[in-house]
Amino acid sequence: LLNEIAKRRNPGVVISRIELSVDKDGSFLVGGLASTREDLLIFRRAFERSVPFRGAEIPVSVFAKNRDLPFTMNVYVATGTAE
């Protein structure tokens, strides 16, 4: 899973935290700092319908700034791949 996360990171995103204790809904947490809103949106989109993931959510409040956005993102693992 760590390699799959790293493959989706773009140069404008620094990952500083990954919590892999998968929740009942098949999600885990990724946190860090994005240079711009667009960098963060690109990173989030990389998890949408992309095996072994099924999407990601970022709180809207994260997008209050244009640059240097600290973020946390819930990433959802596709059913049957969280083990």
Side-chain angles (χ1 to χ4, degrees):
L1 253 160
L2 292 175
N3 286 336
E4 293 297 326
I5 296 165
K7 282 194 264 185
R8 287 159 177 80
R9 188 189 66 80
N10 64 54
V13 172
V14 175
I15 298 170
S16 60
R17 176 178 165 200
I18 298 174
E19 291 184 22
L20 288 177
S21 57
V22 178
D23 292 333
K24 291 177 186 175
D25 64 354
S27 70
F28 61 91
L29 184 88
V30 176
L33 184 70
S35 296
T36 66
R37 285 181 188 163
E38 186 63 24
D39 287 327
L40 186 52
L41 287 170
I42 290 167
F43 185 51
R44 188 200 65 184
R45 287 182 198 129
F47 292 94
E48 294 176 1
R49 293 181 295 282
S50 175
V51 176
F53 307 106
R54 60 179 168 91
E57 292 180 348
I58 301 170
V60 175
S61 60
V62 168
F63 296 99
K65 294 172 53 176
N66 290 324
R67 300 181 92 29
D68 301 324
L69 292 84
F71 72 90
T72 56
M73 177 171 71
N74 285 317
V75 178
Y76 298 93
V77 178
T79 305
T81 60
E83 299 170 0

